[in-house]
Amino acid sequence: MRIASPRLWPLAVVLALAAACCRAQPVMIWALQDFAPVSMPVDGKPGEGSTDAILKAIVRELPGIEHRYVVASAARIYALLDAGEPLCYVGGLRTPEREQRYWVSDLQLVPPLQLIAHRRALKQLPRDSAGRVRLPELLARPGLRGLLVRERSYGVALDAQLAKRPAEATVEVLGGTNMGGNFFEMLRLDRADYTIDYDFMLLHRQRQDGRKYEDLLPVPIQGNDAMNVVSTFCPRTAWGREAILRIDAVVAGLARTAGLGLPESRWTTPEVERLYGPAMRAFNLTRRVPTPGLGAP
């Protein structure tokens, strides 16, 4: 059969062939935070943080896609997700509210957050017989100054306690892209007395800066014994559903082959291993298959 010269093809056919040969790759946008040592962006891309490693592993398993990144605060990231923007975020805590607002794929368990207090405030902290801080009582004390990050979840148990703090509580709620990365410095300079964060965040800062933060100490919080689930979030749209299903399948493979969700040697002290290691290993086993029912209406 003779094929007509391209010069004789209809214009619509020529344009369709041109579009097909020049069609750009699909684009995936990932939200990042400056949250060392969890997320440590370098030149606007994932760096050497713990969730950076997870994100880079996910990206490697999604070929044929152009991956872009945006560094933003927690408030900005969740606002973009709420607006249905086509991006996903690796590293937030799963909460019942977020389960309703976004498509969610779980990644790993992390130990409970703790109160990080300056040594000068220790004697003023209200504590139970086990040495755990009674957070509602602390929030009601006007003499101690706290720092929190806007739109950050501190886990279901603590979020509930923080939501009930009195209007006159001396707690400053700040935004910013670094998830309170300057809070330890504010504690050191006597601009605040306590914040809430992971003990490994403090350990990272102390390793970096030697004796500079030796007067900051982690204190467990009463009623906050359960581990938190770190997840990936995509907008609750048709695009987000397709994205989360692909991500979830990749995560299942990483749990099987790369040990995703197992304790990290860099931040696992003997005490953390004793208390939380078994649960983290059990969680890894559950993530070796795609999440049942994910994406159902």
Side-chain angles (χ1 to χ4, degrees):
M1 183 177 75
R2 232 177 128 182
I3 299 176
S5 167
R7 288 180 298 174
L8 302 178
W9 289 352
L11 178 60
V13 174
V14 174
L15 292 176
L17 290 173
C21 73
C22 302
R23 187 177 294 126
Q25 289 182 317
V27 174
M28 183 74 188
I29 303 175
W30 302 94
L32 305 175
Q33 291 193 53
D34 183 3
F35 186 34
V38 175
S39 179
M40 303 167 67
V42 177
D43 297 329
K45 296 181 179 180
E48 299 303 319
S50 55
T51 58
D52 290 333
I54 295 173
L55 176 52
K56 287 191 283 188
I58 293 173
V59 166
R60 284 195 297 269
E61 297 298 321
L62 294 173
I65 298 175
E66 179 186 351
H67 296 276
R68 300 177 185 173
Y69 306 92
V70 57
V71 181
S73 67
R76 178 63 176 158
I77 289 171
Y78 290 112
L80 291 170
L81 288 168
D82 286 333
E85 292 293 330
L87 85 165
C88 296
Y89 169 50
V90 173
L93 292 190
R94 184 182 189 118
T95 68
E97 179 189 14
R98 290 174 180 172
E99 291 171 5
Q100 299 301 313
R101 289 163 60 185
Y102 316 120
W103 294 115
V104 185
S105 174
D106 296 335
L107 297 170
Q108 60 187 151
L109 294 180
V110 290
L113 290 96
Q114 300 194 46
L115 195 85
I116 308 295
H118 195 281
R119 193 181 302 275
R120 62 175 172 268
L122 287 181
K123 291 184 179 180
Q124 301 177 64
L125 298 178
R127 298 205 242 181
D128 62 17
S129 58
R132 299 170 298 187
V133 172
R134 296 191 295 269
L135 186 59
E137 188 175 333
L138 171 61
L139 294 169
R141 288 194 176 183
L144 292 175
R145 303 157 295 169
L147 292 170
L148 298 173
V149 177
R150 184 175 296 115
E151 289 299 319
R152 180 180 180 183
S153 172
Y154 292 90
V156 175
L158 293 187
D159 287 348
Q161 295 186 46
L162 292 169
K164 296 177 182 178
R165 66 183 183 274
E168 64 274 13
T170 51
V171 175
E172 194 170 4
V173 182
L174 303 176
T177 61
N178 64 0
M179 288 289 282
N182 60 328
F183 286 2
F184 294 157
E185 184 70 4
M186 294 174 71
L187 266 60
R188 187 182 74 86
L189 297 175
D190 198 17
R191 294 173 57 189
D193 299 304
Y194 68 89
T195 186
I196 296 174
D197 219 320
Y198 296 104
D199 57 355
F200 63 78
M201 303 293 293
L202 177 59
L203 177 61
H204 169 72
R205 190 62 60 87
Q206 289 173 333
R207 286 176 177 175
Q208 274 193 321
D209 298 300
R211 298 167 59 89
K212 190 175 180 181
Y213 298 102
E214 64 181 358
D215 286 329
L216 304 187
L217 302 167
V219 184
I221 301 172
Q222 187 182 70
N224 186 48
D225 303 318
M227 300 183 75
N228 293 307
V229 182
V230 174
S231 304
T232 295
F233 301 94
C234 297
R236 206 166 184 85
T237 62
W239 178 93
R241 178 180 180 274
E242 182 179 347
I244 204 69
L245 288 172
R246 294 190 68 180
I247 293 167
D248 190 74
V250 169
V251 168
L254 293 174
R256 293 191 301 269
T257 62
L260 177 68
L262 296 176
E264 288 193 53
S265 58
R266 286 185 298 171
W267 311 112
T268 304
T269 64
E271 183 68 1
V272 168
E273 171 60 36
R274 182 182 69 82
L275 291 173
Y276 306 113
M280 296 172 82
R281 282 185 284 276
F283 185 84
N284 167 267
L285 294 176
T286 68
R287 282 305 288 123
R288 294 184 179 192
V289 296
T291 304
L294 181 62

